[in-house]
Amino acid sequence: MEFITLLAAGKISDAIGKFIYEILYGWISGWSSSWGIVGAFSVTVIMFTIFLKCIVFPFDLWQKQITRSNAKKMEQMKPELEKITKQCGSNKEMLMQKQRATYKKYKYSTFGACLPMIITLVIFFVVFAGYNSAVRLHNKSLYTELEKVYDTTFEKEIKRLESSGTEYTDAELHNLATAKAEEEVLANYKSERFFLTKNIFVADTWKKPVPSASDFTGTGLGGSGVTGVDTGKYEIVMKPVMEKYNTTWNGYLILPILVLILNVLSMKLNKPAEQPAMAGQSEEQAKAQQSQMKIMQYIMPIMMLVFALFYSAAFTLYMFVNSLLTTLFNVIFNVVTKKIDEKEKDRQMSVTVKK
């Protein structure tokens, strides 16, 4: 199986693209011969997101536990760290030694605090590359099929007209065959919708539903990156499709806005533990570090918005479903841990009263 071969070769993003498009989408698209406002690939994206979320759920839980543990350790360490900072004054060497001793005493690992975020980013970019690969596979497969329909119809129509007994000039033959080929291309073109988004393989923005040749083959921001395609021939084959469908925007920015809202909400629910001062840091430097951490929290939602604006609605749908599941998980986790903390606090108070 090519999917296994790609994994063995270390081409993880291509393997994910193959799995999404050829295996999962191939299976789901066979469920029905006609799809409505929610296409087969939309269902594929939702199912893949749920499948991936189930796989990484233990990691999500581990991440939350680390954040929770760090918050408690930080609360315990803070008075000691503040005391150490005042005692050492400008003696940075002594400050560094005592800070490290405090971290060791409470078993606080600054790397452990950053590790979940690093892993999350790695997973995000691998899946992002996988979706780009799946989009390229779809776009190339669809265009190859339409190009074949165009060429076959054009040749058949030329032969039919030549054998009809009616005399045509070369220009007339070409125009009549072209019209027939364009008609067949339109009849065979199938777009994958997601509610108001007309083509899920294009960004849910002001982009046109059918990509231009430059967008189709481009490797820049938002380009499909399809290779091995003659751009001149692409414009000829896709001309009737673009004329019919490219009269309005592909979407109305609904998915990008929802992704931004959910990421901001998730950021608020998943507030990271306060980071201790790095060994040797002064109080002013520690405050600057905390300020930078607050700014970093807002970078992620902004980054998600940029991806949603310039890349396929399929990947934006993935981000939306993933963010929705993450937000629900954070709400449930916070409610459960809050009850646990309340019970623990009541238990400690009852023990104190008895003493």
Side-chain angles (χ1 to χ4, degrees):
M1 187 184 292
E2 193 174 356
F3 167 67
I4 302 298
T5 305
L6 288 169
L7 275 178
K11 297 179 179 179
I12 300 175
S13 60
D14 288 340
I16 292 174
K18 287 277 183 184
F19 175 76
I20 293 172
Y21 185 70
E22 295 186 355
I23 298 175
L24 194 56
Y25 175 59
W27 172 54
I28 292 173
S29 58
W31 292 0
S32 174
S33 57
S34 61
W35 294 81
I37 58 173
V38 178
F41 200 79
S42 304
V43 177
T44 301
V45 171
I46 294 168
M47 287 191 65
F48 174 78
T49 308
I50 294 171
F51 168 73
L52 182 64
K53 202 66 178 173
C54 289
I55 291 176
V56 302
F57 175 75
F59 161 73
D60 288 340
L61 191 59
W62 172 60
Q63 181 182 24
K64 293 291 288 184
Q65 291 291 3
I66 287 179
T67 303
R68 177 175 158 80
S69 175
N70 282 343
K72 289 184 175 181
K73 288 176 181 178
M74 185 63 219
E75 191 176 345
Q76 294 170 346
M77 285 193 303
K78 197 169 183 180
E80 288 190 38
L81 289 172
E82 290 175 350
K83 186 178 179 181
I84 289 168
T85 303
K86 290 179 181 178
Q87 287 177 345
C88 295
S90 59
N91 192 335
K92 288 191 176 182
E93 188 176 345
M94 184 182 293
L95 175 63
M96 189 180 297
Q97 290 176 354
K98 290 192 174 185
Q99 282 178 338
R100 284 176 177 169
T102 305
Y103 301 157
K104 187 175 181 180
K105 174 184 173 183
Y106 288 93
K107 297 180 180 179
Y108 188 99
S109 171
T110 52
F111 176 73
C114 298
L115 185 60
M117 183 180 294
I118 294 170
I119 296 175
T120 299
L121 284 173
V122 170
I123 292 173
F124 174 82
F125 283 109
V126 168
V127 174
F128 166 69
Y131 269 104
N132 278 349
S133 178
V135 169
R136 281 195 300 273
L137 284 170
H138 170 80
N139 286 343
K140 189 163 187 177
S141 175
L142 177 63
Y143 172 68
T144 300
E145 182 183 337
L146 293 177
E147 184 183 32
K148 186 178 178 180
V149 167
Y150 184 95
D151 290 341
T152 302
T153 305
F154 186 88
E155 290 173 7
K156 285 183 177 180
E157 188 64 9
I158 288 287
K159 290 179 180 178
R160 188 188 71 80
L161 291 170
E162 288 177 340
S163 62
S164 66
T166 304
E167 290 188 7
Y168 296 98
T169 63
D170 289 344
E172 288 174 333
L173 281 172
H174 183 272
N175 291 338
L176 289 170
T178 297
K180 184 64 176 178
E182 289 180 348
E183 183 183 327
E184 286 301 309
V185 166
L186 272 175
N188 283 270
Y189 176 76
K190 296 176 182 176
S191 63
E192 285 273 359
R193 295 182 61 91
F194 180 70
F195 292 105
L196 296 178
T197 306
K198 298 171 183 66
N199 185 356
I200 197 171
F201 297 98
V202 175
D204 179 21
T205 59
W206 52 86
K207 285 273 191 179
K208 299 300 182 183
V210 183
S212 64
S214 58
D215 285 340
F216 191 76
T217 58
T219 56
L221 191 65
S224 296
V226 178
T227 57
V229 172
D230 183 329
T231 55
K233 184 63 178 292
Y234 176 87
E235 293 286 354
I236 292 171
V237 172
M238 301 302 292
K239 177 188 172 185
V241 183
M242 287 191 280
E243 287 178 349
K244 180 177 180 179
Y245 293 99
N246 285 358
T247 55
T248 58
W249 288 6
N250 185 53
Y252 300 94
L253 291 92
I254 296 172
L255 281 174
I257 291 169
L258 289 175
V259 165
L260 178 64
I261 292 171
L262 280 175
N263 271 275
V264 171
L265 180 60
S266 182
M267 177 196 71
K268 297 291 185 183
L269 292 171
N270 196 29
K271 187 179 180 181
E274 184 181 350
Q275 296 296 308
M278 292 176 64
Q281 271 189 332
S282 65
E283 189 175 347
E284 290 75 17
Q285 290 172 327
K287 287 180 179 178
Q289 177 190 336
Q290 293 296 333
S291 178
Q292 290 173 358
M293 287 296 294
K294 288 179 180 178
I295 294 172
M296 284 294 293
Q297 290 179 54
Y298 289 95
I299 288 178
M300 185 62 76
I302 293 171
M303 186 177 76
M304 296 298 105
L305 178 62
V306 170
F307 278 99
L309 289 175
F310 293 100
Y311 290 94
S312 69
F315 185 66
T316 307
L317 178 59
Y318 159 76
M319 289 193 291
F320 168 71
V321 177
N322 184 65
S323 297
L324 180 61
L325 294 174
T326 300
T327 302
L328 290 174
F329 169 70
N330 286 337
V331 169
I332 294 169
F333 185 89
N334 289 350
V335 169
V336 171
T337 53
K338 185 178 179 181
K339 289 183 178 180
I340 292 173
D341 289 342
E342 287 174 352
K343 287 182 179 180
E344 179 63 21
K345 188 176 179 180
D346 291 342
R347 187 189 67 80
Q348 290 177 353
M349 288 183 64
S350 64
V351 170
T352 305
V353 171
K354 286 179 181 179
K355 288 182 179 180

